[in-house]
Amino acid sequence: MTTLPLMPKATAVWLIEKTALSFTQIAEFCGMHPLEVQAIADGEVAQGIVGYDPVANRQLTQEEISRCEANPDSKLKILSSGNPVKRRSKGARYTPVAKRHDRPDGIAFLLRNFPQLGDQEIVKLLGTTKDTIAKVRNKQHWNSPNIKPRDPVTIGLCSQTDLNAAVTAATLRLEREGQEIPQPPAALLEDAPEHTSPSVED
């Protein structure tokens, strides 16, 4: 069990914007689901909510935040009491605040170059949501006109090792299911990682 801070959603907004804490750490502290925290980070919910500083309001110390930033497995300990909530399950991969606006570019790159990857595999790889992937795929994302497929390894969203492992796992999964392994368009096979596909910008 844990306790909720005052104004949990506004506190989550502040922690997302001002710290390098993981979605799971913020979710557990604020009594939210990690995907809800991620949706706030993606700008899909809580738009217009002003962040509520838990340090200035004596619910957390900066030392406590720094301790948990240094260890993703650590849990924030609130200084004041609140309503008890149940612990939440582990969430998606944490993406630094500075990189979150690059995530749609990484999604577009994976959709274009690695069609064998399923949505769930992209979710785990980039720390995104199925809804965001669908919006990028269907060009319904709020920033669709500016999305350019960029290698998520190059822009720091995941490691080459993780990407290789995800592609290998997806290929093996399709083979086990007896499905044909989809291939990216031949014209893209020799593209540089930061090449922009005209089809994404149309």
Side-chain angles (χ1 to χ4, degrees):
M1 303 295 286
T2 186
T3 54
L4 281 175
L6 188 64
M7 300 175 64
K9 189 165 288 187
T11 299
V13 170
W14 189 91
L15 291 172
I16 289 168
E17 293 177 347
K18 304 294 186 181
T19 75
L21 294 166
S22 72
F23 291 157
T24 299
Q25 288 172 312
I26 295 172
E28 290 184 336
F29 182 71
C30 296
M32 301 165 68
H33 192 282
L35 291 180
E36 186 178 2
V37 175
Q38 184 170 321
I40 292 174
D42 288 340
E44 296 171 358
V45 299
Q47 294 179 348
I49 292 182
V50 177
Y52 185 78
D53 186 347
V55 176
N57 291 285
R58 296 176 180 168
Q59 297 179 90
L60 276 177
T61 63
Q62 186 58 53
E63 289 76 17
E64 177 68 2
I65 291 174
S66 297
R67 179 183 72 83
C68 291
E69 285 177 328
N71 182 3
D73 294 326
S74 295
K75 302 182 190 301
L76 288 166
K77 295 179 181 177
I78 194 168
L79 294 180
S80 59
S81 61
N83 297 322
V85 296
K86 294 183 178 180
R87 291 287 185 184
R88 302 289 181 169
S89 59
K90 186 176 181 180
R93 174 189 300 274
Y94 170 73
T95 303
V97 175
K99 295 291 183 183
R100 287 175 195 159
H101 66 282
D102 294 330
R103 190 186 286 119
D105 291 356
I107 293 171
F109 181 92
L110 294 181
L111 291 175
R112 185 191 71 171
N113 292 280
F114 300 103
Q116 66 267 52
L117 288 174
D119 286 2
Q120 188 58 43
E121 288 153 335
I122 296 176
V123 165
K124 291 180 180 179
L125 196 60
L126 300 186
T128 185
T129 64
K130 290 185 178 181
D131 182 62
T132 301
I133 295 169
K135 287 178 180 177
V136 172
R137 178 186 288 115
N138 300 326
K139 298 181 178 63
Q140 294 178 342
H141 191 275
W142 67 271
N143 198 32
S144 285
N146 299 314
I147 293 177
K148 295 177 173 62
R150 291 190 293 159
D151 188 340
V153 174
T154 302
I155 57 181
L157 292 175
C158 67
S159 69
Q160 187 66 56
T161 300
D162 287 343
L163 176 57
N164 291 345
V167 172
T168 299
T171 301
L172 292 174
R173 172 177 53 78
L174 292 175
E175 288 176 347
R176 285 197 307 270
E177 295 172 357
Q179 299 184 41
E180 183 178 350
I181 308 301
Q183 297 296 325
L188 299 177
L189 294 179
E190 297 182 1
D191 283 351
E194 303 235 351
H195 175 78
T196 301
S197 169
S199 63
V200 175
E201 304 217 298
D202 287 343

